Amino acid sequence: MTTATFLTGIGVFVFDADAYWSVAMSLAKGEAPFPGYFDLRGVLSGIAYVPAALVVRAGGDILAGSAVLAQNSLLVGWFAAFLLPALARPWRELGTPGRWGGAFLAWTVLRGFAPYPLMDIYAVTAALLALVLVQRRGIGALIGAGLMLGYAVNVRPAYLPVIALLAVVTVVVRSWSSFWVALGGAVALAPQILYSWLSREVLSLSPAATEGLVALQAGYAAYTVRYDTAPWDGGIDARQFFCSPAMAANVHPLPTTTTELAAAYLSNFEHALPFALQKVAASLHWPLSTPYLHPAPGLDALFSAAVTIIAVVGCATLALSPVLRRRHTSRGLWVAWGLVISTVVASIATLAGSATESRFAIPLVLIGVVGVSVLADAGLGAVRAYPRAFAAAVVAACMVVALGYAGLAHPAPRGMVTPEVCETA
């Protein structure tokens, strides 16, 4: 596999992308997915790439890379043209600078995902669309919000804390109307419940192997800062972990549940606090080839700094706006603020408590894109009006960049890791 082929991704699907694509092709042909797929992944994960798979079925395997790229590009274009302005509307009705600037930033941070049949951009788009729909009136919008939340958590279970906190805020904001959101969520998750019953005679919202996967990831989450998937080239293992020697030396035994992981953090708080901060910062430290790792010295440093600044400054813009505006803040803005803040807080908690990959930070990055679009549309006047707040956001972004570098300072040898390996990394 050449560097050019890996970076463009045309026709080359490996690891998770290969699994998702194989199932989409099976469904397009009317065949059963390969054995064991739905033990690890939600049943709705198979449908996202069926449109591209139908194109390939009609035109031949040579179209696989182009069909996936075209489908994902349409989704990214729709996000930039329609969903991004809708997300920004409670803060500001975007004009030309905000719309074009936001579209450029969305393309910049999502371009690496476009060639591959992965679930990340579909899950995050569904979750962010739910943020828009839950603020609208009408039963249809609320049911749609529930459908999107159910879909997002089925195809990306790591979003469960985000969805759970959004559900709490929705109940507070919409009161009895939140029943319709719950109904939409139940409809979206019904296929998973039905499949679990038919295959295992268990009423479950999660695949069969979820418990084992959680146990495995809880162990890694206790002492690894980040995990990357690199090219499988020349027999070199594709797994790249970045370690925390301090946590590896102090967490014994390894946790196997989320509760045990939280207890490990609390009992090693002096090491766990910087470790958690480094995990969040390192998740924003995107290489140019994200969602995969294919080092590009120099360019990676620039890109990771840009992504971190977008995320931190953009999220700070949305978070501080109602406070800075004081009496000019409407109820609608406070509702949007609560939904966005809950998404940001839950995303940070997820990153701190998971076996983190760069792509897990995509909700923070896209909310940051919305915030920077609002800031760009407001122009220099907003910076002049609140110079201290803007300066604090920039300083915070620089600190997060530094924390990201610190978190990635101890790469393990390529392949699987253990605490013993990480202690000496």
Side-chain angles (χ1 to χ4, degrees), residues 207-416:
T210 297
E211 185 176 346
L213 187 61
V214 168
L216 178 67
Q217 295 210 351
Y220 284 135
Y223 65 93
T224 63
V225 175
R226 196 175 86 185
Y227 165 76
D228 284 316
T229 303
W232 197 296
D233 190 13
I236 300 175
D237 200 303
R239 292 162 291 193
Q240 176 65 68
F241 287 89
F242 295 87
C243 297
S244 169
M247 289 295 286
N250 286 279
V251 177
H252 301 289
L254 290 179
T256 58
T257 66
T258 303
T259 302
E260 290 178 3
L261 178 62
Y265 270 47
L266 291 174
S267 61
N268 295 278
F269 191 73
E270 69 276 16
H271 302 301
L273 180 59
F275 172 63
L277 293 174
Q278 288 174 4
K279 289 184 77 166
V280 175
S283 72
L284 295 170
H285 209 83
W286 285 13
L288 186 63
S289 55
T290 298
Y292 295 110
L293 176 65
H294 195 98
L299 292 177
D300 282 347
L302 292 174
F303 189 70
S304 63
V307 169
T308 302
I309 291 170
I310 289 169
V312 175
V313 173
C315 289
T317 297
L318 300 185
L320 294 175
S321 181
V323 178
L324 296 174
R325 291 168 61 172
R326 296 188 183 94
R327 288 173 295 181
H328 302 290
T329 301
S330 65
R331 181 183 181 277
L333 179 56
W334 278 115
V335 169
W337 181 86
L339 291 168
V340 166
I341 289 300
S342 64
T343 303
V344 170
V345 170
S347 296
I348 290 173
T350 298
L351 293 169
S354 66
T356 308
E357 297 182 48
S358 294
R359 54 184 173 155
F360 289 4
I362 195 171
L364 290 180
V365 174
L366 290 185
I367 290 174
V369 167
V370 175
V372 173
S373 302
V374 171
L375 187 62
D377 203 72
L380 292 176
V383 177
R384 293 184 184 130
Y386 308 108
R388 292 182 181 178
F390 181 75
V394 173
V395 170
C398 293
M399 293 175 64
V400 174
V401 170
L403 280 169
Y405 273 109
L408 301 176
H410 301 282
R414 191 73 67 82
M416 296 297 289

Side-chain angles (χ1 to χ4, degrees), residues 42-142:
V43 297
L44 298 181
S45 64
I47 65 175
Y49 288 99
V50 168
L54 289 171
V55 171
V56 173
R57 182 185 178 188
D61 290 344
I62 194 173
L63 296 177
S66 299
V68 169
L69 182 62
Q71 179 180 319
N72 286 345
S73 297
L74 287 173
L75 179 68
V76 173
W78 179 82
F79 174 89
F82 298 102
L83 184 54
L84 190 151
L87 288 163
R89 191 166 293 125
W91 282 267
R92 188 179 184 89
E93 190 75 37
L94 292 182
T96 300
R99 285 177 177 268
W100 281 99
F104 173 75
L105 291 180
W107 173 82
T108 299
V109 300
L110 295 177
R111 53 163 292 282
F113 291 85
Y116 305 107
L118 295 168
M119 290 295 109
D120 303 89
I121 56 176
Y122 289 85
V124 74
T125 299
L128 294 179
L129 177 58
L131 292 188
V132 173
L133 292 175
V134 81
Q135 298 173 65
R136 295 184 176 176
R137 297 184 181 276
I139 293 175
L142 296 178

